[in-house]
Amino acid sequence: MSNNQLAFIFSAFTSDYADHPGRNITGFESVFNDFLLQAAASADPELANFNFTENTFHKDELLTQYLTYIYNCTVSLLLRKANVFPVMTAGYSMGIYAALYDSGSVSFETGLTLIRMAYQCMKASLKGKFFGMGTIIGLNEQDIRQLTNQSSLRVEIANQNATHSFVVSGYHDDIQILLALATSEGALHTRELGVTIPYHSGYLIDGSEDFSRMILQLKISTPVTPIISLLDQHLLTTPESLSEEITRNLFNPLNWFLTMQAMQQHQISGFIECGPSKGLARNAKFVDGIKFFPLSSILP
Amino acid sequence: MATITENIRKEVKEIVYSFFADECEVDIDRINDQTSIINDLDGDSLMFLELIEIFKKKYNLDIELKVIGKYAVKHPVATIGQLIEMQLLIIENENRLMDLDH
């Protein structure tokens, strides 16, 4: 593994901790609990009651984001302590805040503040209307756009995970209609995501303006490791580019599929997924030549 | 369009068994045709998609995923044995899979 150019990748919303990779890693629990207590003190006291098996807060969007962030930060710290360093990183969706922490651009607490600010600004901007997100596997982009346009659905493609795997965002009722239409059209699988904010869609443009003003008060430093943009696959190396990215990615579509390919073009030969699940590694199987290292193969 | 020979049938079965053993990190000896993909192996649609891609490449198949999706809605697959039978139908019929219902 020592000859590999590694990339760390950080996941966004994960509430499934069954078989989470940290459970067998020496020191994981201790570091995780330290972060958890810090987060309970600075973000939400409820976090202190988290438990991997019985109390995962999986129905609470904000707590779920905090917890995934805490998990990502724990793995990042353990890897760096073990002298495993990435040459670049990527944050899937809201995983970008963990990428900022990993790169030294923000403190752990500032990352939590960013999560809270983004959530609250977006929630307020939606003015009580019902929004949601969903996944469609088995149709291509043209199929999804056609279904959306034919029925004038208020839904946008929010992310492409693979040639036939998409995330959509929009009005909740229209998401449900689109998923039903997609199934009739031959989608192999559709699923509504348990979120009420239509991330990475134009519906969040108003909220993102508030967010961009609020983050001016936060300290964002030059990253020690470049972070790749999921919007245009450029490398982000300055505080200004990072601030712009975390604002723009709220209301613009991401492309994880292109991002993985772009990382390959940067000679990345190995990936480490830092979140609790294997979701990103599994998506990467649709990109030829991608190699993921299980955490257990790196940390004792 | 391919004629399903005993060799192809054997090959498809071996690929499916070893794919799920690998993906789901279970001993291949614990998998049989009655094994439930969801309940016993915790399998999901991404695995199904991945497996289809493997067979598309291996047998150079001309089939759209949504044709498989439409067929799967009418003929749901729950077990490894049913999945193997569906893969054989896909290999045999490709884009004419839906014609089987007419």
Side-chain angles (χ1 to χ4, degrees):
Chain A
M1 201 198 65
S2 56
N3 294 327
N4 280 292
Q5 294 231 92
L6 293 173
F8 292 176
I9 57 176
F10 299 96
S11 49
F13 311 94
T14 312
S15 51
D16 180 8
Y17 296 101
D19 303 329
H20 74 90
R23 70 194 189 286
N24 298 322
I25 304 296
T26 308
F28 176 88
E29 198 176 327
S30 163
V31 175
F32 182 86
N33 285 336
D34 283 349
F35 275 137
L36 193 65
L37 291 177
Q38 282 183 58
S42 65
D44 190 327
E46 191 66 25
L47 287 165
N49 298 318
F50 170 80
N51 180 295
F52 278 111
T53 52
E54 289 162 5
N55 198 15
T56 60
F57 301 116
H58 66 280
K59 288 188 176 168
D60 187 308
E61 283 177 71
L62 183 56
L63 289 179
T64 297
Q65 282 193 57
Y66 285 147
L67 286 161
T68 308
Y69 171 76
I70 292 166
Y71 198 107
N72 281 323
C73 291
T74 302
V75 173
S76 155
L77 189 66
L78 289 169
L79 286 167
R80 286 179 178 272
K81 274 186 176 172
N83 293 319
V84 179
F85 299 105
V87 294
M88 74 173 64
T89 68
Y92 182 90
S93 186
M94 299 297 107
I96 190 161
Y97 305 119
L100 291 176
Y101 164 79
D102 172 79
S103 72
S105 287
V106 300
S107 67
F108 176 71
E109 286 79 9
T110 301
L112 292 167
T113 305
L114 283 166
I115 291 170
R116 191 190 70 242
M117 281 179 171
Y119 179 82
Q120 290 176 343
C121 287
M122 298 312 115
K123 200 74 183 164
S125 73
L126 298 175
K127 299 182 170 66
K129 291 176 189 160
F130 294 102
F131 285 87
M133 296 178 78
T135 58
I136 298 173
I137 294 174
L139 299 186
N140 62 30
E141 183 176 348
Q142 192 186 352
D143 294 330
I144 294 172
R145 292 202 188 283
Q146 207 165 2
L147 291 175
T148 306
N149 293 338
Q150 275 170 0
S151 302
S152 303
L153 299 175
R154 296 162 298 175
V155 176
E156 297 175 12
I157 290 176
N159 184 24
Q160 180 176 14
N161 283 323
T163 49
H164 291 84
S165 176
F166 291 86
V167 180
V168 291
S169 279
Y171 278 79
H172 183 252
D173 289 351
D174 289 4
I175 290 280
Q176 288 187 319
I177 293 169
L178 177 61
L179 299 186
L181 288 172
T183 301
S184 305
E185 185 64 17
L188 295 171
H189 181 73
T190 65
R191 184 167 70 97
E192 201 179 328
L193 300 177
V195 296
T196 59
I197 294 178
Y199 286 105
H200 320 305
S201 75
Y203 300 106
L204 296 183
I205 195 158
D206 291 343
S208 65
E209 285 171 9
D210 294 336
F211 178 72
S212 70
R213 277 192 295 275
M214 290 174 81
I215 62 172
L216 292 174
Q217 62 188 277
L218 300 176
K219 186 181 176 197
I220 298 178
S221 308
T222 302
V224 294
T225 309
I227 299 173
I228 191 165
S229 166
L230 269 69
L231 295 169
D232 58 18
Q233 291 70 52
H234 280 96
L235 292 183
L236 307 168
T237 56
T238 65
E240 295 75 23
S241 63
L242 291 173
S243 296
E244 191 184 342
E245 176 80 6
I246 58 176
T247 302
R248 285 179 61 225
N249 92 347
L250 290 169
F251 65 93
N252 283 294
L254 312 179
N255 196 314
W256 182 246
F257 188 49
L258 287 182
T259 303
M260 293 298 290
Q261 292 173 66
M263 284 195 277
Q264 273 186 312
Q265 284 161 15
H266 283 290
Q267 312 304 320
I268 298 297
S269 52
F271 294 82
I272 300 175
E273 182 166 4
C274 298
S277 77
K278 297 176 190 164
L280 299 175
R282 297 195 53 218
N283 273 319
K285 290 191 173 176
F286 298 97
V287 182
D288 287 339
I290 293 273
K291 184 178 183 185
F292 268 76
F293 291 105
L295 206 54
S296 57
S297 71
I298 299 161
L299 295 174
Chain B
M1 298 274 285
T3 304
I4 303 301
T5 61
E6 271 314 302
N7 272 347
I8 291 179
R9 180 173 285 278
K10 188 169 169 246
E11 193 171 57
V12 167
K13 184 171 181 169
E14 281 171 3
I15 290 170
V16 170
Y17 272 47
S18 97
F19 173 83
F20 279 100
D22 187 38
E23 284 289 319
C24 304
E25 295 172 3
V26 297
D27 193 327
I28 199 163
D29 295 337
R30 287 182 51 208
I31 299 176
N32 59 53
D33 282 0
Q34 282 70 48
T35 303
S36 165
I37 297 166
I38 293 173
N39 298 332
D40 299 331
L41 297 174
D42 204 18
D44 60 25
S45 51
L46 266 186
M47 289 181 195
F48 187 48
L49 182 58
E50 205 183 331
L51 201 51
I52 290 168
E53 293 297 335
I54 289 170
F55 284 115
K56 275 178 81 171
K57 276 184 192 164
K58 180 159 185 65
Y59 294 104
N60 195 23
L61 300 178
D62 174 24
I63 186 159
E64 286 189 70
L65 283 177
K66 58 186 177 185
V67 171
I68 300 172
K70 282 178 181 167
Y71 188 81
V73 168
K74 290 186 177 175
H75 307 275
V77 160
T79 64
I80 291 289
Q82 289 168 345
L83 181 63
I84 290 167
E85 289 307 316
M86 181 185 275
Q87 293 295 351
L88 290 168
L89 285 175
I90 292 168
I91 293 166
E92 189 175 18
N93 297 282
E94 301 181 54
N95 267 325
R96 291 159 73 179
L97 187 65
M98 289 303 286
D99 293 349
L100 296 175
D101 283 341
H102 299 308

